[in-house]
Amino acid sequence: NKSVPLVQHTSITCMSVIKQQMDEPSAVSMLILGTESKNIYFLDPSGTRIVQKVDLDSEPIFLSVVGLYSVEYRVTVACRDAKIYTIKNGSVLHNVIELETMPVGLIRMDKNIHVGCMDNVVHSYHFKGKKNHTVFLPHPISCMTAMTGTRAKSFKALLVALKNGDIRMYNGKQLLHVL
């Protein structure tokens, strides 16, 4: 068995995509994988080769990507150690956001990071780590996403789905609507 190379298999915990050179709907994208072995992998556009590997201190569970791979990018990563890490152009930044409870959702909108947590709250942070505000919710969070519109003027909102069936729409900490 000396001729057989040692191989460590791992599981994918989260995925996202990043545009390679242009921010167009049909532009070439690269797959980003978070793994159980505490790594983030950037795959080439064909998905057959690892272009970049970034090591983290914990297992990633959510990814949010901003920017272009060949220009400048940031990947915001929520991990199982209840911390939020930021990868900028392949390097893990030193400013780490520590959460009180485990994250259940992660959305990056403009310069803000919105993190839903297990204790029925959504924390909002500036991308450099300073806390903006906290929204307390009446029920546990089941899902979070960003909503954008381009009618008369650009519109951005955070949608938070709760376990009781409500969908709440927020602009910052202001509740706009409940479905």
Side-chain angles (χ1 to χ4, degrees):
N1 291 344
K2 290 182 181 181
S3 62
V4 178
L6 291 175
V7 177
Q8 178 184 4
H9 295 283
T10 187
S11 299
I12 295 172
T13 57
C14 52
M15 292 190 293
S16 189
V17 293
I18 185 169
K19 301 288 184 183
Q20 189 172 18
Q21 295 177 351
M22 297 184 311
D23 193 14
E24 299 290 327
S26 62
V28 175
S29 297
M30 299 170 63
L31 191 61
I32 303 174
L33 305 173
T35 66
E36 201 67 56
S37 57
K38 304 177 186 178
N39 296 314
I40 301 289
Y41 294 104
F42 292 77
L43 303 182
D44 69 348
S46 68
T48 58
R49 188 174 55 87
I50 296 171
V51 175
Q52 188 171 27
K53 175 185 168 188
V54 178
D55 297 323
L56 295 172
D57 292 338
S58 181
E59 300 84 358
I61 51 176
F62 295 105
L63 299 175
S64 183
V65 180
V66 175
L68 303 172
Y69 184 78
S70 63
V71 181
E72 182 178 77
Y73 66 89
R74 287 179 190 254
V75 180
T76 306
V77 185
C79 292
R80 286 205 182 119
D81 61 356
K83 294 180 182 176
I84 308 291
Y85 299 91
T86 301
I87 300 168
K88 182 179 179 183
N89 299 329
S91 300
V92 180
L93 300 181
H94 296 291
N95 56 335
V96 176
I97 298 169
E98 295 191 32
L99 303 171
E100 296 170 14
T101 59
M102 293 291 293
V104 295
L106 174 74
I107 301 295
R108 170 116 186 225
M109 291 174 34
D110 298 326
K111 294 185 175 186
N112 296 315
I113 300 167
H114 302 281
V115 186
C117 294
M118 284 186 142
D119 56 352
N120 305 352
V121 298
V122 175
H123 299 291
S124 175
Y125 296 91
H126 187 271
F127 75 93
K128 291 187 176 178
K130 183 178 185 256
K131 188 182 240 183
N132 294 329
H133 61 267
T134 298
V135 175
F136 296 92
L137 301 167
H139 298 280
I141 299 167
S142 61
C143 187
M144 293 174 49
T145 191
M147 179 177 152
T148 58
T150 56
R151 276 256 152 140
K153 41 182 177 169
S154 69
F155 172 78
K156 293 184 180 176
L158 177 69
L159 296 178
V160 181
L162 303 179
K163 296 268 185 187
N164 71 339
D166 287 353
I167 299 174
R168 293 175 162 241
M169 181 186 298
Y170 289 94
N171 183 2
K173 62 182 174 180
Q174 181 180 359
L175 177 63
L176 300 177
H177 191 69
V178 178
L179 299 172

